[in-house]
Amino acid sequence: MNTKRMIAIDTHTHSIASGHAYSSLEEMARAAFDKGLGGFVLTDHSPGMPGGAHLYHFYNLRVLPRTIHGVSVFLGAEANIINYDGEIDLEDDVLNCLELVIASFHIPTCSIGSAEEHTSALLGAMQNHHVKVIGHPDDDRYPFDVQAVVRAAGETKTLLEMNNTSLSPRGFRVGSRGNYIKLLNECRKQGVMITLGSDAHYSSRVGECDYSEALLKELNFPEELIANNSLERFLDVTGIRL
Ligand SMILES: [Zn+2]
Ligand SMILES: [Zn+2]
């Protein structure tokens, strides 16, 4: 156990509250501890996703202790981008209860449009100051202007996610590897930060970033542009207080 990993905090995880994930928060925390993580962000799906968590799930996250079974648990959500203006399906009163919000395209909640429309949606989502991460910007079905999105991420201090589940051979998003190579090269060029997320939907997957790590090594991607490879940097970049 406690093997050396590239990440200290997993910024994308789902519990049973997401409706199509299979572990309790306790099980996730124990798995994270066993793997030597410092913590993880609980980012259950917002209500727009079929079977997603109820709004009360997000309002009530404040009842959780910060530390569960020896790891820090941060309060988050994976919200759905619902239109090409980049609006998401959580309102400010809920967002104010959360520490880290991911905004993502999902097939059930945002129709597939043109690259211009997806770019507009991503730029709009990044203008929402609650949105700290763009989730899995890697899917051929939602192409976008990479240069413009990376520039806006830098300007708005939004992290672009590298999603391990997308890169897994069992992943269901299309063309991720090639899309990540383009995205990472642009991030390096513009000095824009990324975050690594497992997108775990089962406890043993929490903290898994092996496919992402392999690609980052292959590209010799600079470690200083990875926001979650230490607790200190994660807190500094996100502004979250322990
Ligand atoms: Zn999911
Ligand atoms: Zn997602």
Side-chain angles (χ1 to χ4, degrees):
M1 306 284 184
N2 285 9
T3 47
K4 168 89 179 103
R5 302 185 157 261
M6 194 177 268
I7 63 165
I9 307 294
D10 188 344
T11 54
H12 191 159
T13 68
H14 296 275
S15 76
I16 200 161
S18 279
H20 59 265
Y22 307 98
S23 299
S24 69
L25 180 52
E26 287 224 357
E27 290 163 338
M28 294 163 70
R30 286 185 200 278
F33 179 81
D34 285 347
K35 290 182 180 200
L37 290 182
F40 60 92
V41 191
L42 183 67
T43 53
D44 279 307
H45 284 291
S46 54
M49 175 67 76
H54 192 275
L55 281 181
Y56 289 1
H57 162 90
F58 299 104
Y59 283 123
N60 204 36
L61 284 171
R62 64 187 73 183
V63 304
L64 295 174
R66 170 64 89 199
T67 303
I68 302 178
H69 298 308
V71 296
S72 298
V73 176
F74 299 97
L75 312 183
E78 184 182 17
N80 300 294
I81 295 173
I82 53 172
N83 57 38
Y84 303 137
D85 291 330
E87 289 181 285
I88 59 174
D89 61 345
L90 290 175
E91 304 282 343
D92 277 358
D93 56 346
V94 185
L95 294 167
N96 284 331
C97 301
L98 303 174
E99 295 174 309
L100 187 137
V101 175
I102 303 174
S104 307
F105 284 126
H106 293 118
I107 294 291
T109 51
C110 191
S111 53
I112 291 172
S114 65
E116 289 71 29
E117 286 169 326
H118 304 148
T119 304
S120 156
L122 291 170
L123 299 189
M126 287 191 274
Q127 288 303 321
N128 182 334
H129 71 277
H130 293 285
V131 172
K132 297 267 175 63
V133 177
I134 295 296
H136 44 76
D138 59 20
D139 192 332
D140 273 353
R141 294 172 296 181
Y142 291 104
F144 58 87
D145 180 335
V146 172
Q147 203 179 14
V149 166
V150 170
R151 190 183 314 119
E155 286 165 1
T156 58
K157 304 267 182 268
T158 311
L159 301 169
L160 298 171
E161 178 187 78
M162 204 175 172
N163 185 293
N164 203 60
T165 299
S166 297
L167 286 163
S168 155
R170 296 176 69 189
F172 50 84
R173 286 181 281 268
V174 187
S176 295
R177 186 183 153 84
N179 291 326
Y180 275 128
I181 291 172
K182 281 184 222 150
L183 188 76
L184 291 166
N185 283 333
E186 193 61 33
C187 284
R188 187 209 318 255
K189 203 162 122 192
Q190 297 196 33
V192 168
M193 295 189 92
I194 63 165
T195 184
L196 274 61
S198 67
D199 201 358
H201 285 65
Y202 181 67
S203 58
S204 71
R205 303 280 186 202
V206 173
E208 277 192 0
C209 286
D210 47 343
Y211 298 109
S212 301
E213 288 174 5
L215 184 53
L216 290 168
K217 284 206 178 92
E218 198 180 311
L219 298 177
N220 202 17
F221 191 80
E223 283 213 11
E224 62 269 22
L225 293 182
I226 301 172
N228 56 336
N229 55 7
S230 77
L231 174 64
E232 295 69 29
R233 181 176 290 167
F234 170 77
L235 295 173
D236 185 47
V237 168
T238 58
I240 297 172
R241 292 203 197 139
L242 266 186

